[in-house]
């Protein structure tokens, strides 16, 4: 009798599955939201166990028991996180999708607006300010890079090829939003009002440097501008950004946190911990990945087998999007929309910006050793985001060659003047090495300070004369 009941239940199950059409069948009745497209309460995604379990339609589909055995008992079970349906075939999830995730774009390679593209409109004033900042960042990188090659500063790192990511994303944020950068986002700080003189002061580590000369060059920071100080360890800023975002949520602030990182950062454990942390806490944070193809000398093909970075967000329950990182209008529109969703819906967002690092990783790197020079030149010329955006601005009648020449000359002169001032400015005293950590300096640091001063006094010829003791 028991065997007969089991066979009957199996036949009922097979009939139910046939009525649902050819497999494979989904593992849950709950609908996973399309990336970036809210659908009722499902716009929250599935990062909340409460909503996910409550939205299941499977409970209503379970039939009444017959002869003491419910066919539904063989089809559905309420596991933690929601009800799951069962199938009779063994289907492994594919290792990757057959087709790559699409990339959002507004401007074509010639600076023309793609037909039917939807984007956030920008005024003439905003458009020109964005372009001016992109040009300024480009010139700043060129001159400071040359200064390092001349031995005037010890280290530098450029944003060549990623000017649109810097400026367009910054323009879409508010001053109250908290920025946790990596080390290739000086344009975000430039947009927020950090002057060229302030950049030069940091690079030279003089007395006006906010870090008091204790950080290496390009480790900018500004408490006034809500821009956390740069630090070199990869991806450590990501979990910190989630914590900052959650504090904004607790304080009911109409602001979000945004953190930037490269494709190499996604190979770090902090990336995965941060995404899961953000999804579970529903923190209003934007994860902005600059997928520029290279983590120093390691290409993306040797970092991951998945379709880039955007698919990882969905795996953690985070709404995600891929955007053309060399398209100024696309980046601006994406971050503008992502910020609105993060704040109003209380959710994290992952953005993968597809771009290319045109310059060397830093002044300590020679990228011609691991990638072809013609590849770099192609991206420097044919795919330059500054030139591409200029064509759009100029096509609107908002810009001309005379304005271009005047802007570049003025920026160059201002930068050269800033370098001269920064070089002449005295350094901080060595005593600053031991300040700003403890309210009262402990005895072990006092002993280290005395030891350092004694060593300098004994070997004074070995230490720079322009650094006051």
């Amino acid at each position: 009798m028991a065997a007969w009941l089991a066979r009957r239940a199996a036949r009922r199950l097979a009939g139910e599955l046939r009525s649902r059409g050819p497999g494979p069948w989904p593992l849950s009745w709950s609908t996973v939201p399309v990336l970036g497209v809210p659908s009722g309460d499902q716009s929250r995604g599935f990062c909340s166990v409460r909503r996910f379990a409550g939205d299941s339609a499977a409970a209503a589909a379970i039939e009444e028991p017959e002869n003491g055995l419910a066919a539904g008992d063989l089809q559905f079970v309420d596991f933690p996180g929601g009800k799951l349906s069962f199938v009779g075939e063994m289907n492994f999830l594919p290792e990757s999708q057959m087709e790559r995730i699409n990339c959002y774009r507004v401007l074509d390679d010639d600076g023309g607006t793609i037909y039917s593209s939807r984007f956030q409109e920008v005024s003439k004033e905003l458009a020109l300010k964005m372009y001016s900042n992109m040009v300024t960042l480009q010139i700043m990188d060129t001159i400071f890079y040359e200064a390092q090659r001349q031995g005037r500063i010890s280290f530098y790192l450029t944003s060549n090829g990623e000017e649109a990511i810097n400026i367009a994303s910054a323009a879409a944020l508010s001053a109250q939003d908290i920025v946790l950068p990596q080390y290739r986002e000086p344009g975000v700080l430039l947009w927020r009002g950090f002057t060229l003189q302030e950049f030069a002061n940091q690079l030279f580590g003089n007395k006006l440097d906010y870090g008091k000369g204790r950080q290496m060059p390009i480790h900018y920071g500004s408490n006034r501008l809500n821009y956390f100080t740069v630090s070199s360890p990869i991806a450590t800023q990501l979990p910190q950004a989630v914590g900052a975002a959650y504090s904004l949520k607790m304080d009911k602030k109409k602001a979000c946190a945004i953190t930037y990182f490269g494709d190499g950062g996604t190979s770090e454990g902090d990336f995965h911990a941060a995404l899961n942390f953000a999804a579970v806490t529903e923190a209003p944070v934007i994860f902005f990945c600059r997928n520029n193809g290279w983590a120093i000398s390691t290409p993306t093909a040797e970092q991951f087998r998945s379709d880039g970075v955007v698919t990882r967000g969905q795996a953690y329950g985070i709404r995600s999007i891929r955007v053309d990182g060399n398209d100024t209008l696309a980046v601006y529109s994406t971050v503008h929309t992502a910020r609105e969703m993060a704040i109003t819906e209380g959710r994290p967002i992952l953005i993968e910006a597809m771009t290319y690092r045109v310059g060397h990783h830093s002044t300590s790197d020679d990228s011609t050793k691991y990638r072809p020079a013609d590849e770099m030149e192609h991206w420097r010329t044919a795919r330059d985001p500054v030139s591409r955006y200029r064509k759009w601005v100029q096509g609107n009648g908002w810009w001309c060659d005379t304005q271009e020449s005047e802007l570049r000359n003025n920026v160059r002169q201002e930068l050269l003047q800033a370098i001269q001032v920064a070089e002449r400015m005295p350094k901080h005293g060595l005593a600053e090495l031991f300040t700003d950590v403890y309210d009262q300096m402990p005895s072990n640091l006092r002993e280290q300070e005395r030891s350092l001063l004694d060593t300098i006094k004994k070997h004074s010829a070995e230490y720079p004369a322009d650094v006051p003791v």
Side-chain angles (χ1 to χ4, degrees), residues 126 129-138 140-141 156-174 179-194 199 218 220 227 230 258-262 288-292 323-332 335-336 351 353-358 385-386 389:
L126 178 60
K129 182 180 178 182
M130 289 167 66
Y131 180 69
S132 176
N133 275 255
M134 290 172 70
V135 171
T136 300
L137 177 60
Q138 193 177 61
M140 183 176 82
D141 277 345
Y156 194 69
L157 185 150
T158 69
S159 303
N160 296 145
E162 302 178 24
E163 293 88 354
I165 287 175
N166 272 251
I167 303 303
S169 65
L173 301 171
S174 77
V179 179
L180 290 92
Q182 192 181 21
Y183 42 56
R184 219 176 291 277
E185 291 81 34
V188 178
L189 195 52
L190 176 69
W191 178 269
R192 293 195 161 202
F194 210 67
F199 280 111
I218 66 92
Y220 313 110
Y227 190 96
V230 175
I258 183 170
T259 182
Y260 297 83
F261 53 99
F288 196 109
C289 176
R290 296 174 286 94
N291 188 345
N292 59 24
V323 61
D324 182 352
N326 288 21
D327 183 342
T328 304
L329 292 183
V331 173
Y332 174 80
V335 176
H336 186 279
I351 299 172
M354 309 301 290
T355 182
Y356 187 84
R357 171 169 57 79
V358 171
V386 180
Y389 184 56

Side-chain angles (χ1 to χ4, degrees), residues 45-56:
F46 48 86
C47 56
S48 171
V49 172
R50 295 182 302 277
R51 279 187 295 275
F52 184 68
D55 288 342
S56 176

Side-chain angles (χ1 to χ4, degrees), residues 104-108 111-119 327:
Y104 171 59
R105 198 184 205 193
V106 175
L107 298 178
D108 60 27
T113 305
I114 297 175
Y115 175 73
S116 76
S117 62
R118 294 184 295 174
F119 62 96
D327 183 342

Side-chain angles (χ1 to χ4, degrees), residues 37-86:
V37 181
S39 177
D41 193 51
Q42 291 174 1
S43 66
R44 288 283 189 168
F46 48 86
C47 56
S48 171
V49 172
R50 295 182 302 277
R51 279 187 295 275
F52 184 68
D55 288 342
S56 176
I62 299 178
E63 300 180 6
E64 291 297 323
E66 181 178 311
N67 296 328
L69 180 66
D73 291 340
L74 298 178
Q75 299 179 45
F76 304 100
V77 66
D78 192 5
F79 282 111
K83 293 185 182 298
L84 293 179
S85 62
F86 293 104

Side-chain angles (χ1 to χ4, degrees), residues 294-350:
W294 296 91
I296 306 184
S297 60
T298 305
T300 54
E302 297 180 13
Q303 287 189 73
F304 38 72
R305 292 292 300 276
S306 62
D307 179 12
V309 178
V310 66
T311 56
R312 302 185 180 195
Q314 189 178 32
Y316 282 104
I318 293 179
R319 187 173 295 173
S320 310
I321 187 172
R322 173 175 284 160
V323 61
D324 182 352
N326 288 21
D327 183 342
T328 304
L329 292 183
V331 173
Y332 174 80
S333 299
T334 299
V335 176
H336 186 279
T337 304
R339 179 184 183 273
E340 184 70 18
M341 289 190 296
I343 295 174
T344 60
E345 299 179 25
R347 66 164 66 250
I349 305 291
L350 172 64

Side-chain angles (χ1 to χ4, degrees), residues 404-468:
E404 181 78 13
S405 178
E406 182 179 352
L407 170 63
R408 291 185 176 273
N409 287 334
N410 290 341
V411 172
R412 183 175 180 82
Q413 291 302 315
E414 185 179 352
L415 273 165
L416 294 176
Q417 176 66 22
I419 289 176
Q420 292 176 7
V421 171
E423 277 187 311
R424 293 194 297 264
M425 188 69 58
K427 308 292 185 182
H428 278 280
L430 287 176
E432 292 292 357
L433 285 173
F434 304 94
T435 61
D436 298 338
V437 177
Y438 299 97
D439 180 39
Q440 299 292 329
M441 189 185 301
S443 58
N444 64 315
L445 285 188
R446 291 190 181 280
E447 178 58 32
Q448 290 180 34
E449 182 180 22
R450 284 194 296 268
S451 176
L452 174 62
L453 296 178
D454 290 343
T455 302
I456 293 175
K457 184 177 180 180
K458 184 177 180 180
H459 305 282
S460 58
E462 306 297 328
Y463 290 85
D466 62 338
V467 178

